[in-house]
Amino acid sequence: MTTGMILEGGGMRGLYTAGVLDTLLDESIHVDGMVTVSAGALFGINFVSRQKGRALRYNKTYIKDKRYISLRSLVTTGDMVNKQFAYYTVPFKLDVFDEEAFKQSSTDFYATVTNMETGQPEYTKITDPFNEMETLRASGSMPFVSKPVDINGSLYLDGGVADSIPYEKAKELGYSKRIVILTRPLAYRKSKPSEFMIDRWYKQYPAFSSSLKNRYQNYNNTVRQLTEEEQANEAFVIRPSKTIPVKRLERDPNKLQAIYDLGVEDVKQRLEDLKQYLED
């Protein structure tokens, strides 16, 4: 029997996930693999390297730094989240990611990206994060505020476009126990987006455009499936117990702390149930 963890994205709402994961580190909860997307990949990778508090720490430290996330970066580079500072300066120099600990871990780690030409999700097993930083960056590169990321001659963006909650991939990989961490409350459902805006913005990539337009339906269907499987004890789902108004690119450190603290609080309330689920 193997245990897989599935992490939704959601921009800075992903700090809810970080709070959950840091608490699970304290409880020595082990998983055999993680299938992640977008912020779930960017923050969740610290679970494998066992760097408790890192995701919250660097985000609170640099969230108001114009080198990190800013309109200036969007205008000058095409990316609201600055490539050089966020993906290279911070993890390589300022708040160093422990790649050696990651490599020594027995937990497999998958990051989801969306292929711009096919509009389909691709799942990359990350084994060397520093050398695969562009895949991680692509997974978290949100539409409209990010340039497509070139990986081996193909262009990619946010994995959440094609697969917002990569639950089926975790089942395909054979994980019999599945822990799912969402960043929206139980009642949340996505709404239909503006097709005009999508078609105009991504007219050169019709398959990607189609996936972006259908994202809301796929997301809502997956949430319904998860609710059913949770009730059947086929999955263990952790989700926010209440709504905290945190934007995808939230820049208020107090709100970042609040959503992180909610993750800690919520999972502590359910620790015994989680342990029982893993033992059954």
Side-chain angles (χ1 to χ4, degrees), residues 95-116:
D95 198 323
V96 178
F97 177 73
D98 192 343
E99 186 173 56
E100 286 308 309
F102 177 92
K103 290 180 177 179
Q104 291 169 13
S105 173
S106 61
T107 300
D108 292 336
F109 189 86
Y110 294 86
T112 309
V113 295
T114 300
N115 187 301
M116 297 287 292

PDB file of all heavy atoms in Angstrom, residues 95-116:
ATOM      1  N   ASP A  95      17.259  32.430   0.366  1.00  0.00           N
ATOM      2  CA  ASP A  95      16.626  31.466   1.274  1.00  0.00           C
ATOM      3  C   ASP A  95      16.795  30.114   0.601  1.00  0.00           C
ATOM      4  O   ASP A  95      15.913  29.616  -0.090  1.00  0.00           O
ATOM      5  CB  ASP A  95      15.150  31.800   1.495  1.00  0.00           C
ATOM      6  CG  ASP A  95      14.586  31.119   2.729  1.00  0.00           C
ATOM      7  OD1 ASP A  95      14.971  29.966   2.997  1.00  0.00           O
ATOM      8  OD2 ASP A  95      13.765  31.748   3.438  1.00  0.00           O
ATOM      9  N   VAL A  96      17.948  29.545   0.791  1.00  0.00           N
ATOM     10  CA  VAL A  96      18.431  28.448  -0.051  1.00  0.00           C
ATOM     11  C   VAL A  96      17.595  27.177   0.106  1.00  0.00           C
ATOM     12  O   VAL A  96      17.353  26.709   1.228  1.00  0.00           O
ATOM     13  CB  VAL A  96      19.909  28.151   0.246  1.00  0.00           C
ATOM     14  CG1 VAL A  96      20.404  26.980  -0.601  1.00  0.00           C
ATOM     15  CG2 VAL A  96      20.756  29.401  -0.028  1.00  0.00           C
ATOM     16  N   PHE A  97      17.152  26.659  -1.028  1.00  0.00           N
ATOM     17  CA  PHE A  97      16.446  25.382  -1.048  1.00  0.00           C
ATOM     18  C   PHE A  97      17.449  24.259  -0.846  1.00  0.00           C
ATOM     19  O   PHE A  97      18.514  24.232  -1.462  1.00  0.00           O
ATOM     20  CB  PHE A  97      15.725  25.199  -2.388  1.00  0.00           C
ATOM     21  CG  PHE A  97      15.029  23.879  -2.512  1.00  0.00           C
ATOM     22  CD1 PHE A  97      13.872  23.626  -1.809  1.00  0.00           C
ATOM     23  CD2 PHE A  97      15.557  22.879  -3.329  1.00  0.00           C
ATOM     24  CE1 PHE A  97      13.224  22.393  -1.909  1.00  0.00           C
ATOM     25  CE2 PHE A  97      14.926  21.649  -3.439  1.00  0.00           C
ATOM     26  CZ  PHE A  97      13.760  21.403  -2.724  1.00  0.00           C
ATOM     27  N   ASP A  98      17.113  23.295   0.014  1.00  0.00           N
ATOM     28  CA  ASP A  98      18.016  22.185   0.335  1.00  0.00           C
ATOM     29  C   ASP A  98      17.840  21.068  -0.693  1.00  0.00           C
ATOM     30  O   ASP A  98      17.109  20.105  -0.474  1.00  0.00           O
ATOM     31  CB  ASP A  98      17.741  21.677   1.745  1.00  0.00           C
ATOM     32  CG  ASP A  98      18.829  20.721   2.241  1.00  0.00           C
ATOM     33  OD1 ASP A  98      19.605  20.208   1.408  1.00  0.00           O
ATOM     34  OD2 ASP A  98      18.895  20.489   3.465  1.00  0.00           O
ATOM     35  N   GLU A  99      18.537  21.213  -1.808  1.00  0.00           N
ATOM     36  CA  GLU A  99      18.397  20.234  -2.881  1.00  0.00           C
ATOM     37  C   GLU A  99      18.937  18.869  -2.477  1.00  0.00           C
ATOM     38  O   GLU A  99      18.407  17.836  -2.890  1.00  0.00           O
ATOM     39  CB  GLU A  99      19.089  20.722  -4.159  1.00  0.00           C
ATOM     40  CG  GLU A  99      18.827  19.788  -5.332  1.00  0.00           C
ATOM     41  CD  GLU A  99      19.353  20.327  -6.647  1.00  0.00           C
ATOM     42  OE1 GLU A  99      20.538  20.634  -6.733  1.00  0.00           O
ATOM     43  OE2 GLU A  99      18.543  20.413  -7.581  1.00  0.00           O
ATOM     44  N   GLU A 100      19.963  18.830  -1.680  1.00  0.00           N
ATOM     45  CA  GLU A 100      20.523  17.537  -1.260  1.00  0.00           C
ATOM     46  C   GLU A 100      19.525  16.753  -0.428  1.00  0.00           C
ATOM     47  O   GLU A 100      19.387  15.540  -0.588  1.00  0.00           O
ATOM     48  CB  GLU A 100      21.833  17.749  -0.495  1.00  0.00           C
ATOM     49  CG  GLU A 100      22.996  18.127  -1.383  1.00  0.00           C
ATOM     50  CD  GLU A 100      23.182  17.167  -2.552  1.00  0.00           C
ATOM     51  OE1 GLU A 100      23.225  15.938  -2.306  1.00  0.00           O
ATOM     52  OE2 GLU A 100      23.251  17.630  -3.702  1.00  0.00           O
ATOM     53  N   ALA A 101      18.830  17.435   0.482  1.00  0.00           N
ATOM     54  CA  ALA A 101      17.804  16.760   1.276  1.00  0.00           C
ATOM     55  C   ALA A 101      16.682  16.252   0.375  1.00  0.00           C
ATOM     56  O   ALA A 101      16.155  15.155   0.582  1.00  0.00           O
ATOM     57  CB  ALA A 101      17.254  17.712   2.334  1.00  0.00           C
ATOM     58  N   PHE A 102      16.330  17.054  -0.635  1.00  0.00           N
ATOM     59  CA  PHE A 102      15.306  16.636  -1.592  1.00  0.00           C
ATOM     60  C   PHE A 102      15.742  15.353  -2.307  1.00  0.00           C
ATOM     61  O   PHE A 102      14.967  14.397  -2.428  1.00  0.00           O
ATOM     62  CB  PHE A 102      15.062  17.747  -2.605  1.00  0.00           C
ATOM     63  CG  PHE A 102      14.064  17.386  -3.682  1.00  0.00           C
ATOM     64  CD1 PHE A 102      12.722  17.689  -3.523  1.00  0.00           C
ATOM     65  CD2 PHE A 102      14.464  16.743  -4.853  1.00  0.00           C
ATOM     66  CE1 PHE A 102      11.792  17.359  -4.508  1.00  0.00           C
ATOM     67  CE2 PHE A 102      13.556  16.405  -5.829  1.00  0.00           C
ATOM     68  CZ  PHE A 102      12.210  16.714  -5.653  1.00  0.00           C
ATOM     69  N   LYS A 103      16.971  15.324  -2.769  1.00  0.00           N
ATOM     70  CA  LYS A 103      17.464  14.166  -3.512  1.00  0.00           C
ATOM     71  C   LYS A 103      17.558  12.920  -2.654  1.00  0.00           C
ATOM     72  O   LYS A 103      17.411  11.793  -3.143  1.00  0.00           O
ATOM     73  CB  LYS A 103      18.833  14.493  -4.133  1.00  0.00           C
ATOM     74  CG  LYS A 103      18.781  15.494  -5.269  1.00  0.00           C
ATOM     75  CD  LYS A 103      20.177  15.755  -5.819  1.00  0.00           C
ATOM     76  CE  LYS A 103      20.151  16.688  -7.008  1.00  0.00           C
ATOM     77  NZ  LYS A 103      21.507  16.962  -7.547  1.00  0.00           N
ATOM     78  N   GLN A 104      17.802  13.094  -1.369  1.00  0.00           N
ATOM     79  CA  GLN A 104      17.929  11.950  -0.476  1.00  0.00           C
ATOM     80  C   GLN A 104      16.580  11.398  -0.032  1.00  0.00           C
ATOM     81  O   GLN A 104      16.501  10.298   0.506  1.00  0.00           O
ATOM     82  CB  GLN A 104      18.756  12.343   0.746  1.00  0.00           C
ATOM     83  CG  GLN A 104      20.225  12.609   0.437  1.00  0.00           C
ATOM     84  CD  GLN A 104      20.961  13.250   1.590  1.00  0.00           C
ATOM     85  OE1 GLN A 104      20.472  13.295   2.721  1.00  0.00           O
ATOM     86  NE2 GLN A 104      22.148  13.771   1.310  1.00  0.00           N
ATOM     87  N   SER A 105      15.515  12.156  -0.284  1.00  0.00           N
ATOM     88  CA  SER A 105      14.182  11.732   0.141  1.00  0.00           C
ATOM     89  C   SER A 105      13.692  10.552  -0.694  1.00  0.00           C
ATOM     90  O   SER A 105      14.026  10.417  -1.872  1.00  0.00           O
ATOM     91  CB  SER A 105      13.200  12.897   0.018  1.00  0.00           C
ATOM     92  OG  SER A 105      11.879  12.466   0.265  1.00  0.00           O
ATOM     93  N   SER A 106      12.869   9.726  -0.077  1.00  0.00           N
ATOM     94  CA  SER A 106      12.265   8.596  -0.791  1.00  0.00           C
ATOM     95  C   SER A 106      10.917   8.962  -1.406  1.00  0.00           C
ATOM     96  O   SER A 106      10.237   8.104  -1.977  1.00  0.00           O
ATOM     97  CB  SER A 106      12.084   7.413   0.168  1.00  0.00           C
ATOM     98  OG  SER A 106      11.219   7.771   1.244  1.00  0.00           O
ATOM     99  N   THR A 107      10.526  10.225  -1.295  1.00  0.00           N
ATOM    100  CA  THR A 107       9.245  10.680  -1.825  1.00  0.00           C
ATOM    101  C   THR A 107       9.389  11.155  -3.262  1.00  0.00           C
ATOM    102  O   THR A 107      10.178  12.055  -3.548  1.00  0.00           O
ATOM    103  CB  THR A 107       8.683  11.832  -0.965  1.00  0.00           C
ATOM    104  OG1 THR A 107       8.502  11.382   0.384  1.00  0.00           O
ATOM    105  CG2 THR A 107       7.351  12.336  -1.511  1.00  0.00           C
ATOM    106  N   ASP A 108       8.631  10.554  -4.175  1.00  0.00           N
ATOM    107  CA  ASP A 108       8.612  11.007  -5.563  1.00  0.00           C
ATOM    108  C   ASP A 108       7.810  12.312  -5.647  1.00  0.00           C
ATOM    109  O   ASP A 108       6.801  12.481  -4.949  1.00  0.00           O
ATOM    110  CB  ASP A 108       7.968   9.962  -6.472  1.00  0.00           C
ATOM    111  CG  ASP A 108       8.813   8.703  -6.599  1.00  0.00           C
ATOM    112  OD1 ASP A 108      10.038   8.784  -6.390  1.00  0.00           O
ATOM    113  OD2 ASP A 108       8.245   7.632  -6.876  1.00  0.00           O
ATOM    114  N   PHE A 109       8.252  13.209  -6.519  1.00  0.00           N
ATOM    115  CA  PHE A 109       7.611  14.524  -6.612  1.00  0.00           C
ATOM    116  C   PHE A 109       7.325  14.852  -8.074  1.00  0.00           C
ATOM    117  O   PHE A 109       8.240  14.935  -8.895  1.00  0.00           O
ATOM    118  CB  PHE A 109       8.525  15.593  -6.006  1.00  0.00           C
ATOM    119  CG  PHE A 109       7.877  16.940  -5.857  1.00  0.00           C
ATOM    120  CD1 PHE A 109       7.121  17.249  -4.736  1.00  0.00           C
ATOM    121  CD2 PHE A 109       8.016  17.906  -6.847  1.00  0.00           C
ATOM    122  CE1 PHE A 109       6.519  18.498  -4.598  1.00  0.00           C
ATOM    123  CE2 PHE A 109       7.418  19.141  -6.727  1.00  0.00           C
ATOM    124  CZ  PHE A 109       6.670  19.444  -5.588  1.00  0.00           C
ATOM    125  N   TYR A 110       6.044  15.053  -8.384  1.00  0.00           N
ATOM    126  CA  TYR A 110       5.616  15.362  -9.742  1.00  0.00           C
ATOM    127  C   TYR A 110       5.050  16.783  -9.813  1.00  0.00           C
ATOM    128  O   TYR A 110       4.267  17.191  -8.947  1.00  0.00           O
ATOM    129  CB  TYR A 110       4.529  14.390 -10.208  1.00  0.00           C
ATOM    130  CG  TYR A 110       4.997  12.968 -10.350  1.00  0.00           C
ATOM    131  CD1 TYR A 110       5.006  12.108  -9.257  1.00  0.00           C
ATOM    132  CD2 TYR A 110       5.425  12.470 -11.586  1.00  0.00           C
ATOM    133  CE1 TYR A 110       5.437  10.789  -9.381  1.00  0.00           C
ATOM    134  CE2 TYR A 110       5.859  11.155 -11.718  1.00  0.00           C
ATOM    135  CZ  TYR A 110       5.860  10.319 -10.615  1.00  0.00           C
ATOM    136  OH  TYR A 110       6.285   9.026 -10.735  1.00  0.00           O
ATOM    137  N   ALA A 111       5.442  17.524 -10.848  1.00  0.00           N
ATOM    138  CA  ALA A 111       4.916  18.861 -11.094  1.00  0.00           C
ATOM    139  C   ALA A 111       4.144  18.854 -12.411  1.00  0.00           C
ATOM    140  O   ALA A 111       4.620  18.319 -13.420  1.00  0.00           O
ATOM    141  CB  ALA A 111       6.046  19.886 -11.148  1.00  0.00           C
ATOM    142  N   THR A 112       2.967  19.452 -12.405  1.00  0.00           N
ATOM    143  CA  THR A 112       2.094  19.468 -13.574  1.00  0.00           C
ATOM    144  C   THR A 112       2.264  20.767 -14.356  1.00  0.00           C
ATOM    145  O   THR A 112       2.295  21.855 -13.772  1.00  0.00           O
ATOM    146  CB  THR A 112       0.625  19.345 -13.136  1.00  0.00           C
ATOM    147  OG1 THR A 112       0.479  18.229 -12.259  1.00  0.00           O
ATOM    148  CG2 THR A 112      -0.291  19.179 -14.337  1.00  0.00           C
ATOM    149  N   VAL A 113       2.387  20.645 -15.669  1.00  0.00           N
ATOM    150  CA  VAL A 113       2.455  21.803 -16.560  1.00  0.00           C
ATOM    151  C   VAL A 113       1.423  21.618 -17.672  1.00  0.00           C
ATOM    152  O   VAL A 113       0.972  20.509 -17.931  1.00  0.00           O
ATOM    153  CB  VAL A 113       3.864  21.983 -17.171  1.00  0.00           C
ATOM    154  CG1 VAL A 113       4.888  22.310 -16.096  1.00  0.00           C
ATOM    155  CG2 VAL A 113       4.293  20.729 -17.942  1.00  0.00           C
ATOM    156  N   THR A 114       1.071  22.725 -18.341  1.00  0.00           N
ATOM    157  CA  THR A 114       0.153  22.653 -19.475  1.00  0.00           C
ATOM    158  C   THR A 114       0.887  22.998 -20.754  1.00  0.00           C
ATOM    159  O   THR A 114       1.499  24.060 -20.863  1.00  0.00           O
ATOM    160  CB  THR A 114      -1.030  23.620 -19.296  1.00  0.00           C
ATOM    161  OG1 THR A 114      -1.748  23.277 -18.105  1.00  0.00           O
ATOM    162  CG2 THR A 114      -1.982  23.529 -20.490  1.00  0.00           C
ATOM    163  N   ASN A 115       0.845  22.091 -21.722  1.00  0.00           N
ATOM    164  CA  ASN A 115       1.476  22.296 -23.022  1.00  0.00           C
ATOM    165  C   ASN A 115       0.648  23.288 -23.839  1.00  0.00           C
ATOM    166  O   ASN A 115      -0.550  23.084 -24.054  1.00  0.00           O
ATOM    167  CB  ASN A 115       1.579  20.950 -23.753  1.00  0.00           C
ATOM    168  CG  ASN A 115       2.373  21.038 -25.036  1.00  0.00           C
ATOM    169  OD1 ASN A 115       2.046  21.790 -25.942  1.00  0.00           O
ATOM    170  ND2 ASN A 115       3.422  20.232 -25.128  1.00  0.00           N
ATOM    171  N   MET A 116       1.283  24.352 -24.301  1.00  0.00           N
ATOM    172  CA  MET A 116       0.566  25.400 -25.021  1.00  0.00           C
ATOM    173  C   MET A 116       0.016  24.930 -26.369  1.00  0.00           C
ATOM    174  O   MET A 116      -1.026  25.389 -26.819  1.00  0.00           O
ATOM    175  CB  MET A 116       1.490  26.603 -25.258  1.00  0.00           C
ATOM    176  CG  MET A 116       1.977  27.297 -24.000  1.00  0.00           C
ATOM    177  SD  MET A 116       0.701  28.273 -23.187  1.00  0.00           S
ATOM    178  CE  MET A 116       0.457  29.589 -24.369  1.00  0.00           C
TER     179      MET A 116
END
